[in-house]
Amino acid sequence: TDTAPVSTTTPLGNSVTNQANLTGLTDATVYYFWVRSNCGVDGVSFWVGPLIFNTAQIPANLPYYEHFDGTNSNFTFNNGTQPNQWVVGGATFNSPSQSLYISQDEGVTNSYGGTVSTTQAYRDVQMPAGNLGQLHLSFDWKGVGETNLDYMRVWIVPVSYTPTAGNQITSGAGRMQIGTNFGGQNAWKTENYVFNAPVSW
């Protein structure tokens, strides 16, 4: 949870070193944690945090389809502390009941504030071994807002690259942008791309 502990919160674990092994975590999940020092007879320090991390995804096999109507899309959201964040919910959708969208209120609406935000939603996909040749990517999207400021970009990146909230993805080292900046579209639109798989994968 991203709810901060209070001074009387009992820690879930203790460590006499600066490391702790966590088990039983769910893949493709954002975790928040707080730490504090136990100073013995002098009491405890203030909580520090949240420190945020994502657990790794289990890569999907091709062909891969996602309509966001299941209980877990297995996407990872690098939202950080950005005010406008990726969520999966039902405030807007093009499939039976849900979609992936930006929200300033944790998915209650698909509205966003005027503060600049850069966040990423991504899914790891297992590429078959050998010569991949051409790949087909198709997705539905809409983007209402100012076309020069409010847009979405689609990237293909190697699994070794981890995007971070607040930073745009840039070209290089196997990273490839698909299409252009997607924005200024108030009705759902389907995009289809066929491209050669990068050799560096």
Side-chain angles (χ1 to χ4, degrees):
T1 177
D2 59 356
T3 302
V6 296
S7 61
T8 57
T9 300
T10 302
L12 297 176
N14 294 287
S15 177
V16 296
T17 69
N18 61 357
Q19 296 181 354
N21 292 323
L22 304 176
T23 60
L25 302 180
T26 304
D27 65 291
T29 302
V30 178
Y31 285 92
Y32 305 84
F33 69 98
W34 285 260
V35 295
R36 70 178 177 185
S37 296
N38 183 339
C39 304
V41 295
D42 293 327
V44 294
S45 70
F46 293 110
W47 288 103
V48 176
L51 304 166
I52 305 170
F53 69 93
N54 295 316
T55 50
Q57 297 178 14
I58 297 173
N61 292 314
L62 292 178
Y64 175 70
Y65 303 94
E66 179 60 65
H67 51 73
F68 299 104
D69 282 314
T71 55
N72 184 1
S73 67
N74 293 310
F75 267 65
T76 295
F77 305 133
N78 280 340
N79 288 321
T81 58
Q82 301 291 298
N84 304 301
Q85 302 190 351
W86 286 108
V87 298
V88 172
T92 185
F93 52 87
N94 192 37
S95 60
S97 63
Q98 294 192 140
S99 72
L100 170 69
Y101 54 90
I102 289 289
S103 176
Q104 66 178 350
D105 53 20
E106 297 181 357
V108 175
T109 67
N110 67 322
S111 63
Y112 58 91
T115 304
V116 173
S117 299
T118 301
T119 60
Q120 294 90 18
Y122 66 90
R123 181 69 174 105
D124 290 346
V125 177
Q126 178 66 48
M127 296 297 176
N131 184 2
L132 296 179
Q134 291 187 323
L135 299 175
H136 176 226
L137 173 67
S138 177
F139 57 92
D140 294 348
W141 71 280
K142 71 175 182 175
V144 182
E146 299 178 62
T147 55
N148 62 329
L149 297 174
D150 305 316
Y151 55 84
M152 172 186 76
R153 291 179 175 165
V154 176
W155 287 86
I156 306 292
V157 300
V159 72
S160 60
Y161 178 82
T162 302
T164 57
N167 296 305
Q168 293 277 0
I169 299 172
T170 58
S171 297
R175 300 185 299 269
M176 178 175 60
Q177 185 174 357
I178 302 295
T180 183
N181 295 344
F182 297 100
Q185 176 71 31
N186 59 11
W188 290 98
K189 181 179 180 182
T190 299
E191 298 285 342
N192 288 289
Y193 292 91
V194 176
F195 56 94
N196 292 322
V199 175
S200 61
W201 285 350

